[in-house]
Amino acid sequence: MSIQSMPVWKWALLLLASLVLGFLMYGLAQALGDAVPAGWLSWIVNAAMAAAMLALYALFVNWFEKHPARDIPMPKLVSDTAKGLVIGFVFFIVVVGLLMIFKLYILDTPVVPGDAMQIVSAFFMFLVVAVAEEIIMRGILFRWIDEKWGFAVALIISSLIFGFLHIAQPGGTWWSSLAIAIEAGLLLGAAYKFAGNLWLPIGIHWAWNFTQGNVFGIAVSGSDAGASILHGTLSGPDILTGGIFGAEASLITVIVGSALSAWFILRVCRRTERR
């Protein structure tokens, strides 16, 4: 039985079970990652966990939904992940650039780069975060709602849930959660629908967190990401800097994210109209 033809009660129950299993997988991955100190071993462990989570997702979809996982096509792994990394990196370059123009982010001088070993470890740690959260939020939640209720409903609901799952983060508020829903939830959902695979949103998510936290030294969803290449200070009204939550709660990030989300959404809608 396809997702679209399932009775609503069965669809909701199976979706809930899938999400619970997804979060359990994510929790185990985080616990294992936290147990390994920063260094080359953590790079291997985190890369292996990311690969294992993708393999488990493929097996789960094949067993649970009775069809191959079509949203992790291996021929697109390198190209679409690379595109996502570029988009996520440029996104936060633009955000921080605007913050600097308005004197809301001030670089410390002299710039003293952080510990390279820790920075590389953070890069691989954020790979695990991106893979796990995209499997859960886009591969399961968004896709199941999309197949049952359509793109618009899936985009709105998955974005709001994604945003408000961050409310328990340090400094999290209703505004920071709404900001993430708008700037990141919409973007990642639309990117997933546009690409037809998880690689593009994984790349965006991965580079977004790493660039924000370990390139510019800004809190990632309220949490210190550790060592960073650059060091700076956010100073100004919380609505513009994001306050202690970090730049993700900045109105500037919301505006930039909304513009990029709109581009992806329009591309999806135009492609749908041509069919």
Side-chain angles (χ1 to χ4, degrees):
M1 181 181 292
S2 68
I3 290 173
Q4 191 173 17
S5 62
M6 280 183 192
V8 174
W9 68 267
K10 185 175 182 180
W11 171 86
L13 189 62
L14 293 179
L15 173 59
L16 180 61
S18 300
L19 291 172
V20 168
L21 289 172
F23 279 113
L24 284 173
M25 174 192 70
Y26 188 15
L28 288 171
Q30 285 184 312
L32 182 57
D34 290 343
V36 181
W40 64 268
L41 181 59
S42 74
W43 310 348
I44 296 172
V45 169
N46 281 312
M49 285 195 297
M53 287 190 290
L54 289 164
L56 286 171
Y57 174 68
L59 289 171
F60 179 76
V61 171
N62 193 57
W63 170 74
F64 198 61
E65 300 180 37
K66 310 302 181 186
H67 64 77
R70 293 182 285 267
D71 52 1
I72 49 173
M74 294 311 295
K76 292 283 188 178
L77 168 60
V78 175
S79 62
D80 279 14
T81 303
K83 289 174 187 176
L85 285 168
V86 171
I87 292 169
F89 179 70
V90 172
F91 180 96
F92 249 93
I93 289 284
V94 171
V95 167
V96 174
L98 290 171
L99 290 169
M100 292 179 73
I101 287 171
F102 293 110
K103 302 188 185 304
L104 299 166
Y105 176 81
I106 301 169
L107 276 175
D108 296 342
T109 53
V111 175
V112 181
D115 181 82
M117 188 74 74
Q118 292 185 15
I119 291 171
V120 176
S121 296
F123 183 73
F124 283 98
M125 179 271 291
F126 279 127
L127 167 62
V128 172
V129 172
V131 168
E133 293 187 4
E134 291 311 305
I135 285 174
I136 295 167
M137 301 308 301
R138 259 57 66 175
I140 299 174
L141 181 64
F142 177 94
R143 180 171 59 84
W144 273 57
I145 299 175
D146 182 30
E147 291 184 21
K148 185 70 174 176
W149 308 103
F151 173 57
V153 176
L155 192 61
I156 293 168
I157 293 177
S158 65
S159 297
L160 288 172
I161 291 175
F162 180 67
F164 280 88
L165 282 173
H166 289 77
I167 200 165
Q169 293 290 104
T173 64
W174 71 268
W175 162 248
S176 66
S177 299
L178 184 60
I180 288 180
I182 296 169
E183 74 206 13
L186 293 177
L187 171 59
L188 295 167
Y192 173 75
K193 182 70 173 181
F194 171 75
N197 63 59
L198 283 168
W199 308 129
L200 185 64
I202 283 172
I204 295 172
H205 198 153
W206 185 7
W208 170 304
N209 284 341
F210 178 76
T211 306
Q212 178 182 200
N214 303 102
V215 174
F216 293 109
I218 297 172
V220 179
S221 301
S223 298
D224 183 0
S228 59
I229 297 171
L230 302 173
H231 305 271
T233 303
L234 289 169
S235 178
D238 285 357
I239 190 66
L240 296 179
T241 65
I244 62 173
F245 192 80
E248 288 170 329
S250 165
L251 184 60
I252 290 172
T253 311
V254 171
I255 292 170
V256 176
S258 296
L260 186 54
S261 299
W263 185 85
F264 274 111
I265 291 168
L266 285 172
R267 293 292 297 271
V268 170
C269 292
R270 286 173 183 170
R271 187 173 60 192
T272 303
E273 288 171 359
R274 288 196 297 266
R275 291 176 177 174

